[in-house]
């Protein structure tokens, strides 16, 4: 397939997520990948996030939810920040010591300017090249990986449709590469051996 793909195999996903933690430590890059995976936001929406969007500076704590107006659709969405996203952001915040209006994902010297898409792409692509066997991994893979593993873990189709704002589950399956996975499983799992056991032949 030529389109951007999700990271399907659990062991590869774990290596990918660990790259900027253990192999080439970078709290910012690790947080970028973790937030991308656990929020299913498009990279454009992630890059425009400011620290005040995720952290309540008055209460000195991380927010439980993230409110976003998606750039592409104009749709307002509320996303729960789970413990994995908060943990990575907490480690990054301790290092960065940001102001509320600072962009989360920026260079340390230019906190008022977010990373551009090409910079984010290089961060994701570099981790993928060092940890994954497959190709076609980019920023959008983070968003697709969320949905793919949510599907594998039993998330109802209607919820996935709603998260991605798709018109039908067929669109969602195609988007996540599930259709091909389902087709592959038919070919890989079919077993005729039970029907081909040798039987005594009576002449």
């Amino acid at each position: 397939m030529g389109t951007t793909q999700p990271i399907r195999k659990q062991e590869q996903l774990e290596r990918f997520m660990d790259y900027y933690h253990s192999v080439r430590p970078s709290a910012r890059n690790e947080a970028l990948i973790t937030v991308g995976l656990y929020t299913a936001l498009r990279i454009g929406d992630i890059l425009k996030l400011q620290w005040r969007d995720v952290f309540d500076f008055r209460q000195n704590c991380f927010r439980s939810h993230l409110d976003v107006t998606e750039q592409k659709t104009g749709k307002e969405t509320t996303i729960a920040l789970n413990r994995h996203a908060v943990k990575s952001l907490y480690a990054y915040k301790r290092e960065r010591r940001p102001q509320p209006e600072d962009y989360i994902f920026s260079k340390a010297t230019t906190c008022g300017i977010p990373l551009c898409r090409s910079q984010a792409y290089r961060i994701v692509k570099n981790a993928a090249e060092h940890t994954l066997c497959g190709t076609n991994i980019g920023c959008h893979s983070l968003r697709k990986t969320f949905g793919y593993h949510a599907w594998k873990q039993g998330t109802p189709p209607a919820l996935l449709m709603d998260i991605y704002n798709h018109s039908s589950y067929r669109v969602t399956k195609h988007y996540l590469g599930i259709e091909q996975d389902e087709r592959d499983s038919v070919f890989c799992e079919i077993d005729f051996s039970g029907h081909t056991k040798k039987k005594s032949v009576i002449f």
Side-chain angles (χ1 to χ4, degrees):
M1 287 183 233
T3 57
T4 302
Q5 294 296 306
I7 303 170
R8 290 173 168 81
K9 295 183 179 180
Q10 184 66 33
E11 62 273 18
Q12 289 188 344
L13 178 55
E14 290 174 3
R15 289 200 302 271
F16 174 75
M17 294 177 67
D18 188 58
Y19 181 72
Y20 287 115
H21 180 77
S22 301
V23 181
R24 189 179 175 186
S26 169
R28 183 198 66 187
N29 294 355
E30 181 183 6
L32 175 67
I33 284 176
T34 304
V35 169
L37 287 168
Y38 282 106
T39 65
L41 286 171
R42 295 178 180 87
I43 195 63
D45 293 321
I46 292 173
L47 294 178
K48 74 175 184 178
L49 292 176
Q50 296 174 303
W51 279 103
R52 59 189 170 195
D53 294 322
V54 299
F55 191 80
D56 187 329
F57 284 82
R58 289 185 179 180
Q59 298 295 324
N60 194 35
C61 65
F62 278 92
R63 301 184 187 281
S64 61
H65 290 78
L66 173 63
D67 296 315
V68 176
T69 300
E70 296 179 352
Q71 288 181 329
K72 183 175 181 179
T73 65
K75 176 186 176 184
E76 294 182 0
T77 185
T78 298
I79 298 167
L81 288 172
N82 73 11
R83 67 185 187 278
H84 302 291
V86 170
K87 181 180 178 181
S88 67
L89 287 168
Y90 175 74
Y92 178 34
K93 182 177 179 294
R94 288 182 62 186
E95 178 184 292
R96 181 61 69 93
R97 299 183 181 278
Q99 296 300 309
E101 67 278 6
D102 289 349
Y103 285 98
I104 298 176
F105 301 109
S106 67
K107 293 183 178 179
T109 54
T110 54
C111 299
I113 303 174
L115 297 177
C116 65
R117 287 173 180 266
S118 60
Q119 290 171 314
Y121 174 79
R122 285 195 294 271
I123 290 169
V124 173
K125 196 67 176 177
N126 185 59
E129 288 176 349
H130 286 85
T131 59
L132 307 178
C133 298
T135 56
N136 301 325
I137 300 296
C139 292
H140 216 55
S141 296
L142 306 181
R143 179 171 162 87
K144 290 185 175 184
T145 298
F146 170 92
Y148 180 84
H149 286 272
W151 167 70
K152 293 284 284 187
Q153 294 174 27
T155 300
L159 275 180
L160 287 175
M161 286 171 54
D162 182 62
I163 288 170
Y164 289 113
N165 197 28
H166 289 162
S167 58
S168 70
Y169 187 50
R170 181 174 181 81
V171 173
T172 302
K173 288 201 299 181
H174 180 72
Y175 178 77
L176 299 177
I178 291 173
E179 283 182 325
Q180 188 60 48
D181 270 22
E182 290 177 330
R183 286 171 55 86
D184 290 349
S185 69
V186 173
F187 289 100
C188 294
E189 295 175 15
I190 192 166
D191 184 358
F192 297 117
S193 61
H195 302 286
T196 57
K197 291 181 179 179
K198 292 183 178 180
K199 297 181 180 179
S200 299
V201 179
I202 301 176
F203 292 96

